[in-house]
Amino acid sequence: MNINDLKEKFESVFKEKPDRVFFSPGRVNLIGEHIDYNGGHVFPCAISLGTYGLVSMRADDQVACYSLNFEADGVRTFSTKAIRYQADQTWLNYISGTVHLMQEQAGRAVRGFNLLIQGDIPNGAGLSSSASLELLVAYIANQTSQLGLSRLDLVKVGQAVENQFIGVNTGIMDQFAVAMGQENEALFLDVNTLEFDRVPADFGEYALLIMNTNKRRELADSKYNQRRAECEEALARLQKILEIKHLGDLDVETFEANRHLIADPILEARAKHAVYENQRTLQARAALMDHDIEQFANLLNQSHQSLKEDYQVTGIELDTLVQAAWDHEAVLGARMTGAGMGGCAIALVQKEYLDQVQTEIAQAYQQKIGYTPSFYLAEVGSGTCER
Ligand code: GLA
């Protein structure tokens, strides 16, 4: 749907014209997976797929929401004065939770508004549709109620919505990428200091293809919180001897010399992933800056292998998709992206073979899994903004 169609739809739902139009992207993580809660480095970028929000202001304290992705739900309304989590209100919780935590952060009320949203990021596909929505609403509230919060404040509100309102113990990567992204640039972020730099997302003759397993992943139901707890336990065991705050503080040599302290093969494997993946992320940044796409792709492949074997968050769908990509001559590298356990993978594909690669990967995937994957050729886009 283009913006004019969205405006028409807004008018037909709310019986008035929208005042303003906002957009918030999704993200892919290039590398540095399951690292943002382990004190290391991540390397995501915002993508051109995202969530649109059309807004008109109201005179009361109501927020009335209509999602074109869930039209059957109709208009859902809540008061900014009485916000609580409601188990039966899936998507609305992200909006009400964000308004709630924006008010808390700003120390004053958000004005009521009508909101029509439309997302072209598939939900639950690991492309951060929820962070996209959180930042959209945070940005809208900040602008329309002139709360004066910084972009970084909005990022933290978004993460707090996940952690405190929805109940998933996520790190800060998704909200950071969604808010801070810029066209054609990846963000290299140190999650301890929140210092970051921008690296041109230039893959030379290769395009960044997003491949969706079409297996839905629900973060709250997933192994996400479990992995996080396993890493914390591995860290606690290492801390009996080592003076470290996070697994990300370890280099490979120190980890190898001390891994026996963990004394549990599963916890050891989880920690190994965290330590090695963080080092791979540092190397990947250097490779991309040197235009060494082959080395960059190699690191992506190693990352997937580690997420499969040591971290165990891939599953048959993601492994089949990535293997089919690896098997193709025109693919330089591929890995799962996001939390895993379904959702999406990324691949670096020679631009002139893009069509052929998609057809052949789809065939291989369909044969083994029984349904087809989807593909998106997203560009590396900019962060949450007014359109
Ligand atoms: C999800 C979380 C992020 C991050 C990734 C895995 O997307 O929201 O904070 O932990 O998984 O890298």
Side-chain angles (χ1 to χ4, degrees):
M1 247 188 217
N2 64 30
I3 303 244
N4 284 334
D5 294 340
L6 291 176
K7 284 182 175 164
E8 263 175 37
K9 192 74 198 178
F10 187 98
E11 260 193 272
S12 81
V13 173
F14 293 110
K15 313 294 174 224
E16 62 182 13
K17 286 192 194 311
D19 305 326
R20 300 167 78 166
V21 179
F22 298 86
F23 174 77
S24 188
R27 67 96 188 88
V28 290
N29 186 21
L30 298 175
I31 191 164
E33 212 65 84
H34 286 279
I35 293 300
D36 64 349
Y37 52 87
N38 278 313
H41 300 81
V42 295
F43 206 10
C45 44
I47 54 176
S48 49
L49 302 175
T51 318
Y52 285 89
L54 283 69
V55 175
S56 68
M57 298 314 288
R58 296 172 60 113
D60 58 13
D61 62 10
Q62 301 292 305
V63 177
C65 309
Y66 185 87
S67 168
L68 285 167
N69 299 79
F70 299 94
E71 290 203 73
D73 289 353
V75 176
R76 296 280 162 116
T77 303
F78 63 89
S79 158
T80 60
K81 293 209 176 102
I83 298 178
R84 55 187 177 81
Y85 180 83
Q86 290 172 279
D88 59 339
Q89 295 287 344
T90 50
W91 57 273
L92 194 71
N93 282 320
Y94 290 93
I95 301 176
S96 60
T98 303
V99 170
H100 176 59
L101 287 159
M102 283 298 283
Q103 298 189 131
E104 239 181 57
Q105 177 74 23
R108 59 193 174 89
V110 163
R111 291 177 57 197
F113 57 91
N114 296 319
L115 172 66
L116 177 120
I117 54 176
Q118 193 254 330
D120 50 18
I121 322 171
N123 289 319
L127 300 178
S128 287
S129 57
S130 50
S132 175
L133 182 54
E134 287 149 13
L135 265 295
L136 179 78
V137 174
Y139 194 88
I140 289 172
N142 199 37
Q143 296 295 112
T144 58
S145 293
Q146 296 175 338
L147 301 179
L149 299 180
S150 70
R151 232 171 231 270
L152 191 57
D153 290 332
L154 307 191
V155 168
K156 290 180 179 165
V157 163
Q159 186 191 11
V161 173
E162 296 286 346
N163 298 171
Q164 298 170 22
F165 207 77
I166 306 292
V168 192
N169 227 349
T170 61
I172 204 165
M173 170 174 76
D174 301 345
Q175 289 78 10
F176 202 93
V178 165
M180 303 293 190
Q182 264 175 28
E183 252 169 60
N184 300 320
E185 285 180 337
L187 296 164
F188 180 78
L189 170 68
D190 177 335
V191 300
N192 290 326
T193 60
L194 296 185
E195 275 169 24
F196 69 103
D197 55 32
R198 301 180 183 279
V199 179
D202 173 7
F203 309 111
E205 57 177 300
Y206 296 90
L208 186 67
L209 179 68
I210 301 174
M211 316 187 287
N212 188 352
T213 58
N214 286 329
K215 179 186 185 225
R216 268 186 68 87
R217 171 193 59 80
E218 295 293 350
L219 263 190
D221 303 334
S222 73
K223 299 179 188 152
Y224 190 92
N225 287 349
Q226 187 192 340
R227 287 293 173 277
R228 194 164 174 160
E230 288 165 349
C231 286
E232 273 157 22
E233 178 58 30
L235 174 67
R237 294 184 187 189
L238 289 166
Q239 280 171 329
K240 287 190 181 136
I241 302 287
L242 298 175
E243 282 192 29
I244 50 167
K245 282 198 177 138
H246 311 279
L247 291 174
D249 296 343
L250 290 171
D251 57 29
V252 165
E253 290 69 34
T254 317
F255 174 72
E256 288 300 336
N258 291 281
R259 58 188 287 175
H260 61 276
L261 297 171
I262 301 172
D264 174 291
I266 297 212
L267 297 182
E268 210 175 312
R270 307 297 190 243
K272 179 182 166 217
H273 168 77
V275 172
Y276 279 73
E277 179 77 354
N278 184 39
Q279 297 302 320
R280 275 190 290 271
T281 308
L282 299 169
Q283 293 165 15
R285 171 179 181 265
L288 200 56
M289 289 181 76
D290 289 349
H291 304 288
D292 187 348
I293 308 301
E294 212 164 312
Q295 165 68 355
F296 181 76
N298 246 326
L299 293 160
L300 299 192
N301 297 343
Q302 288 171 29
S303 168
H304 186 86
Q305 207 62 37
S306 172
L307 288 155
K308 176 182 177 193
E309 277 157 22
D310 290 329
Y311 219 65
Q312 297 184 305
V313 290
T314 55
I316 177 94
E317 297 85 2
L318 276 168
D319 289 336
T320 303
L321 204 51
V322 167
Q323 185 65 51
W326 285 345
D327 288 345
H328 204 291
E329 275 182 353
V331 175
L332 197 59
R335 63 180 286 276
M336 58 154 266
T337 189
M341 303 161 287
C344 287
I346 51 173
L348 289 172
V349 180
Q350 259 175 11
K351 286 176 186 158
E352 69 259 43
Y353 294 107
L354 268 168
D355 288 343
Q356 194 185 325
V357 166
Q358 290 173 51
T359 314
E360 289 174 23
I361 291 179
Q363 271 165 5
Y365 184 82
Q366 153 100 43
Q367 219 163 49
K368 189 145 177 196
I369 305 297
Y371 52 85
T372 50
S374 307
F375 299 93
Y376 321 100
L377 245 188
E379 272 148 39
V380 175
S382 58
T384 311
C385 58
E386 184 157 6
R387 280 281 159 97

Coordinates of all heavy atoms in Angstrom, one line a residue, residues 10 24-25 32 41 88 97 107 112 137 141 168 172 194 217 221 230 239 252 256 261 271 279 292 328-329 334 341 361:
F10 N -7.1 5.6 6.5 CA -7.2 6.3 7.8 C -8.5 7.1 7.9 O -9.2 7.0 8.9 CB -6.0 7.3 7.9 CG -5.9 7.9 9.3 CD1 -5.0 7.5 10.3 CD2 -6.7 9.0 9.6 CE1 -5.0 8.1 11.5 CE2 -6.6 9.6 10.9 CZ -5.8 9.2 11.8
S24 N 9.0 3.4 10.7 CA 10.0 2.8 11.6 C 10.4 1.5 10.9 O 9.6 0.7 10.6 CB 9.4 2.6 12.9 OG 10.4 2.2 13.9
P25 N 11.7 1.3 10.7 CA 12.2 0.1 10.0 C 12.2 -1.2 10.8 O 12.1 -1.1 12.0 CB 13.6 0.5 9.5 CG 14.1 1.4 10.7 CD 12.8 2.2 11.1
G32 N 27.0 -11.2 15.1 CA 27.1 -10.8 16.5 C 25.7 -11.3 17.1 O 25.0 -10.4 17.6
H41 N 29.9 -7.2 21.0 CA 29.6 -6.3 19.9 C 28.6 -6.9 18.9 O 28.6 -8.1 18.7 CB 30.9 -6.0 19.1 CG 31.9 -5.4 20.0 ND1 32.7 -6.1 20.8 CD2 32.3 -4.1 20.1 CE1 33.5 -5.3 21.5 NE2 33.3 -4.0 21.1
D88 N -4.9 -10.9 26.2 CA -5.6 -11.2 24.9 C -5.4 -10.1 23.9 O -6.0 -10.1 22.8 CB -7.1 -11.4 25.2 CG -7.7 -10.1 25.9 OD1 -6.9 -9.3 26.5 OD2 -8.9 -10.0 25.8
G97 N 2.1 -0.6 25.9 CA 3.3 -0.7 26.8 C 4.3 0.5 26.5 O 4.9 1.0 27.4
G107 N 8.0 11.5 32.6 CA 7.4 12.1 33.8 C 6.1 12.9 33.5 O 5.7 13.7 34.4
G112 N -3.7 12.0 23.8 CA -4.4 11.0 23.1 C -4.2 11.1 21.6 O -4.0 12.3 21.1
V137 N 5.9 4.0 17.9 CA 5.0 4.6 18.9 C 5.8 5.5 19.8 O 5.3 6.6 20.2 CB 4.3 3.5 19.7 CG1 3.4 4.1 20.8 CG2 3.4 2.7 18.7
A141 N 4.9 9.5 20.1 CA 4.6 10.1 21.4 C 5.5 11.2 21.7 O 5.1 12.3 22.2 CB 4.6 9.0 22.5
V168 N 9.9 -10.5 27.8 CA 11.0 -11.2 27.1 C 12.3 -10.4 27.5 O 12.3 -9.2 27.3 CB 10.8 -11.3 25.6 CG1 11.8 -12.2 25.0 CG2 9.4 -11.7 25.2
I172 N 19.5 -5.0 23.7 CA 19.2 -3.6 23.2 C 19.4 -3.5 21.7 O 19.0 -2.5 21.1 CB 20.0 -2.5 23.9 CG1 19.3 -1.2 23.9 CG2 21.4 -2.4 23.4 CD1 19.8 -0.2 24.9
L194 N 27.5 1.4 24.7 CA 26.5 1.9 23.7 C 27.2 2.9 22.7 O 26.6 3.7 22.0 CB 25.3 2.5 24.3 CG 24.4 1.6 25.1 CD1 23.1 2.3 25.5 CD2 24.0 0.4 24.2
R217 N 8.2 -17.7 14.8 CA 9.0 -17.9 16.0 C 8.3 -16.9 17.0 O 8.2 -15.7 16.8 CB 10.4 -17.4 15.7 CG 11.3 -17.3 16.9 CD 12.5 -16.6 16.4 NE 12.2 -15.3 15.9 CZ 11.9 -14.2 16.6 NH1 12.0 -14.3 17.9 NH2 11.6 -13.0 16.0
D221 N 7.8 -17.7 23.8 CA 7.7 -19.1 24.0 C 9.0 -19.8 23.7 O 9.2 -21.0 23.9 CB 6.8 -19.7 22.9 CG 5.4 -19.1 23.0 OD1 5.0 -18.6 24.1 OD2 4.7 -19.1 22.0
E230 N 21.4 -19.6 30.7 CA 22.6 -20.5 30.6 C 23.9 -19.7 30.5 O 24.9 -20.1 31.1 CB 22.4 -21.4 29.3 CG 21.3 -22.4 29.5 CD 20.9 -23.1 28.2 OE1 21.3 -22.6 27.1 OE2 20.2 -24.1 28.3
Q239 N 33.5 -16.6 36.7 CA 33.9 -15.5 37.6 C 34.5 -15.9 38.9 O 35.0 -15.1 39.6 CB 32.6 -14.6 37.8 CG 32.3 -13.7 36.7 CD 31.0 -13.0 36.8 OE1 30.1 -13.6 37.4 NE2 30.9 -11.8 36.3
V252 N 39.6 -15.4 22.9 CA 39.5 -16.8 22.7 C 40.6 -17.6 23.5 O 40.2 -18.6 24.1 CB 39.7 -17.1 21.1 CG1 40.0 -18.6 20.9 CG2 38.5 -16.7 20.4
E256 N 39.7 -20.4 26.2 CA 40.2 -21.8 26.0 C 40.9 -22.3 27.3 O 40.8 -23.4 27.7 CB 41.0 -22.0 24.8 CG 40.2 -21.9 23.4 CD 39.2 -23.0 23.3 OE1 39.3 -24.0 23.9 OE2 38.2 -22.7 22.6
L261 N 36.4 -24.6 33.8 CA 35.8 -24.1 35.0 C 34.3 -24.2 35.0 O 33.6 -24.3 36.0 CB 36.2 -22.6 35.3 CG 37.6 -22.3 35.5 CD1 37.9 -20.8 35.5 CD2 38.1 -22.9 36.9
A271 N 28.7 -20.7 26.2 CA 29.7 -19.7 26.4 C 30.7 -19.6 25.3 O 31.1 -18.5 24.9 CB 30.5 -20.0 27.7
Q279 N 34.2 -12.3 18.9 CA 35.5 -12.1 18.2 C 35.2 -12.1 16.7 O 35.8 -11.3 15.9 CB 36.5 -13.2 18.5 CG 36.9 -13.2 20.0 CD 37.5 -11.9 20.4 OE1 38.3 -11.2 19.7 NE2 37.2 -11.4 21.6
D292 N 36.8 -6.8 2.1 CA 37.1 -8.3 1.9 C 35.9 -9.1 2.1 O 35.6 -9.6 3.2 CB 38.2 -8.7 2.9 CG 38.7 -10.1 2.7 OD1 38.1 -10.8 1.9 OD2 39.8 -10.4 3.3
H328 N 24.8 -23.3 -3.2 CA 24.6 -22.6 -4.5 C 25.9 -21.8 -4.8 O 26.4 -21.1 -4.0 CB 23.4 -21.6 -4.5 CG 22.9 -21.4 -5.8 ND1 23.6 -20.6 -6.7 CD2 21.8 -21.7 -6.4 CE1 22.9 -20.5 -7.8 NE2 21.8 -21.2 -7.7
E329 N 26.4 -22.0 -6.1 CA 27.6 -21.4 -6.5 C 27.6 -19.8 -6.4 O 28.7 -19.2 -6.2 CB 27.9 -21.7 -7.9 CG 28.6 -23.0 -8.1 CD 28.8 -23.3 -9.6 OE1 28.4 -22.5 -10.4 OE2 29.5 -24.3 -9.9
A334 N 26.1 -17.3 4.1 CA 24.7 -17.3 4.6 C 24.7 -17.6 6.1 O 25.5 -18.4 6.6 CB 23.8 -18.2 3.8
M341 N 15.5 -20.1 15.8 CA 14.4 -21.1 16.0 C 13.2 -20.8 15.1 O 12.1 -20.7 15.5 CB 13.9 -20.9 17.5 CG 15.1 -21.2 18.4 SD 15.0 -20.6 20.1 CE 15.3 -18.9 20.1
I361 N 16.9 -22.3 -4.3 CA 16.8 -22.5 -2.8 C 15.4 -22.8 -2.5 O 15.1 -23.7 -1.6 CB 17.3 -21.2 -2.1 CG1 18.8 -21.0 -2.3 CG2 16.9 -21.3 -0.6 CD1 19.3 -19.8 -1.6

